[in-house]
Amino acid sequence: MTSSTPRSDVISSTARRRAIVAGSVGNFIEWYEFGIYGFLATILAAQFFSDGQQTGIESLIATYASFAIAFFFRPVGAALFGRIGDRIGRKPTLILVLVMMSGATALIGILPTYASIGIAAPILLTIVRILQGLSAGGEFGGAVSVMTEFAPAGKRGFYGSWQSFTVALGLLGGAGTVALLASLLSEADLAAWGWRIAFLLAIPLGAVALFLRLKLEETPEFQKAAAADTTDVAKPVVVRAGAAETAKAILLGIGRLMGWSAAGYTFLVVMPSYLQSSLNASFQEALISTVLANAGFAATILPAGWLSDKIGRRWVMLTGTGLIVILALPLLNVLQNPDLGVGVHGLAVFVAGAVVGLIAGPGPAMLAEMFPTSVRYTGLGLSYSISNAVFSGSAGLIITSLIASTGNVDVPAYYVMATCLVSAIAIGTLRGNAHRAELRK
């Protein structure tokens, strides 16, 4: 065995910690940005998608359309950067997507608005969102590959859950930033220029993340696979997955993730605009609800990942999807009842976030275990990005449009119930002991 193929039992604890931190930091920035875009959707609608003739709901629909477009470029980024990451390594690819993602986010903070340049404003915003979608598509597969490939035996669920945990932190960071700006600035100042600050913060965040990723080591699993390409002795143990097998695994992965994607974005990102446009909540009330939902989400992710290492991914994730199917409509009805008070409303959104965390905790490790090393970056990225494109990126557009056309304010609950029901069926096909097997070579 050459020096470039380190044994997993001699990987230092420092290298493992760096894998978690460096893998997580890009996820934080990615979801911070997608969070602030969602939380500021009503302001962005007025700044970029309104010429004064549309109604508020029409501008909001246009804003969510731009939101969805970025998500649909994620699979393109996942395929492009996944291929690069599976060929040249996880580390250099993650550095590249980080620079792209941070730069595009900061660019939104300096874009001229519709009042300044007319129709060119929403076009420029959409182009920048496409760049974000491409780079974000390359983030998940690499980050989860790094975390799970560095994980010690029996801890892949816990290590992978840090990806989801930093999603929660990113969304909380976005909500906290917007809430702070809303408390420090007048409503007029926030709408005129204060919203830009939230996006420009990507510059210092990106600088810190870049420093951490430059110190990251390449994963041992990738080094072994790379060495197998040049060492005859190692070649028989490396799996070269066929296109049909990989495509089948990606489709199954999408099915297992769709409930997480739909419920996560509906409860954690779309909710503020829904509360404002459909339930007449104030901007501050909507943000507080979102913070509580994300706090509930964060509270259960790491315990769920840890528990999935003990009893398996299947039962933990089935519990999460099952609870969403049962509780989505009652929880939404609680929010719709003004007589129940702030405390009950806060508990409802906290519980909604917590049940999503039960799926998100084991989800990254579950997905990593479906693909061999040679296509793991690509398979992870495509499964996650396609699921997000269809069921997360379109969530705001679907929900807002259906509410506008039907007048039914229960649409968000029906949406997440349907997707989680399908996910539960797909998750049920998981082998109960898959979490105990080694990662596929």
Side-chain angles (χ1 to χ4, degrees):
M1 182 177 293
T2 69
S3 58
S4 62
T5 57
R7 290 173 55 85
S8 60
D9 56 354
V10 296
I11 300 172
S12 70
S13 58
T14 299
R16 296 189 195 279
R17 285 195 298 270
R18 283 179 179 168
I20 291 178
V21 174
S24 299
V25 69
N27 292 305
F28 177 90
I29 295 174
E30 173 190 347
W31 291 93
Y32 165 83
E33 187 282 329
F34 277 92
I36 58 177
Y37 191 96
F39 304 145
L40 292 168
T42 53
I43 292 176
L44 294 175
Q47 292 292 333
F48 288 93
F49 294 94
S50 177
D51 59 2
Q53 303 300 314
Q54 301 101 325
T55 65
I57 193 70
E58 289 172 340
S59 297
L60 191 59
I61 289 173
T63 306
Y64 278 128
S66 177
F67 195 64
I69 286 172
F71 270 91
F72 278 96
F73 275 87
R74 282 189 172 206
V76 179
L80 172 64
F81 293 113
R83 189 63 173 164
I84 295 171
D86 283 327
R87 283 181 171 270
I88 71 170
R90 288 38 170 142
K91 175 180 175 177
T93 311
L94 283 173
I95 289 172
L96 175 59
V97 299
L98 173 68
V99 172
M100 283 184 60
M101 186 164 50
S102 302
T105 299
L107 189 57
I108 291 179
I110 62 173
L111 285 179
T113 63
Y114 199 106
S116 300
I117 60 172
I119 192 64
I123 293 174
L124 287 175
L125 178 61
T126 301
I127 291 172
V128 175
R129 294 291 298 161
I130 288 172
L131 291 177
Q132 287 177 313
L134 289 171
S135 57
E139 174 64 29
F140 178 85
V144 175
S145 293
V146 165
M147 293 174 184
T148 55
E149 289 175 2
F150 267 107
K155 293 187 177 180
R156 278 199 304 269
F158 180 70
Y159 268 56
S161 67
W162 281 92
Q163 187 279 335
S164 299
F165 185 65
T166 47
V167 169
L169 293 184
L171 292 172
L172 281 170
T177 299
V178 175
L180 180 62
L181 291 171
S183 66
L184 295 176
L185 302 174
S186 67
E187 188 173 333
D189 285 342
L190 180 63
W193 55 268
W195 61 270
R196 296 183 182 275
I197 297 173
F199 290 97
L200 291 173
L201 285 174
I203 296 174
L205 288 174
V208 172
L210 179 60
F211 172 77
L212 292 170
R213 287 203 166 165
L214 287 171
K215 296 176 72 65
L216 177 68
E217 298 176 20
E218 188 54 81
T219 73
E221 294 295 327
F222 180 81
Q223 290 186 51
K224 291 175 185 177
D229 288 334
T230 57
T231 306
D232 291 338
V233 174
K235 280 184 179 178
V237 302
V238 177
V239 176
R240 298 299 178 196
E245 178 190 358
T246 302
K248 180 179 178 181
I250 289 171
L251 288 174
L252 182 58
I254 292 169
R256 290 172 177 174
L257 295 182
M258 62 186 288
W260 170 16
S261 298
Y265 247 76
T266 300
F267 291 152
L268 307 176
V269 177
V270 174
M271 192 59 69
S273 297
Y274 167 78
L275 292 173
Q276 292 175 78
S277 62
S278 299
L279 302 184
N280 299 315
S282 69
F283 186 68
Q284 287 78 9
E285 289 171 341
L287 276 177
I288 291 171
S289 295
T290 303
V291 169
L292 289 172
N294 279 281
F297 181 53
T300 58
I301 289 171
L302 295 180
W306 174 85
L307 184 61
S308 75
D309 285 327
K310 306 301 179 183
I311 67 173
R313 324 288 182 220
R314 180 172 62 188
W315 292 114
V316 179
M317 296 182 73
L318 281 176
T319 299
T321 52
L323 285 174
I324 291 173
V325 171
I326 295 169
L327 297 176
L329 188 57
L331 289 173
L332 189 61
N333 289 338
V334 167
L335 293 177
Q336 294 166 347
N337 188 339
D339 298 329
L340 292 178
V342 176
V344 177
H345 287 176
L347 179 61
V349 294
F350 184 89
V351 170
V355 292
V356 178
L358 296 178
I359 313 172
M366 176 277 296
L367 208 57
E369 290 159 357
M370 294 176 63
F371 300 95
T373 302
S374 62
V375 295
R376 184 169 295 124
Y377 197 136
T378 304
L380 278 164
L382 282 173
S383 299
Y384 186 74
S385 60
I386 293 174
S387 177
N388 274 315
V390 177
F391 303 105
S392 290
S394 301
L397 183 60
I398 291 170
I399 290 170
T400 308
S401 300
L402 286 176
I403 291 174
S405 62
T406 66
N408 188 339
V409 293
D410 290 336
V411 165
Y414 296 135
Y415 178 65
V416 299
M417 289 166 66
T419 52
C420 281
L421 185 60
V422 175
S423 267
I425 296 171
I427 291 167
T429 64
L430 273 169
R431 291 185 294 112
N433 63 348
H435 62 292
R436 295 193 178 95
E438 291 186 1
L439 283 174
R440 297 175 61 191
K441 304 301 183 184

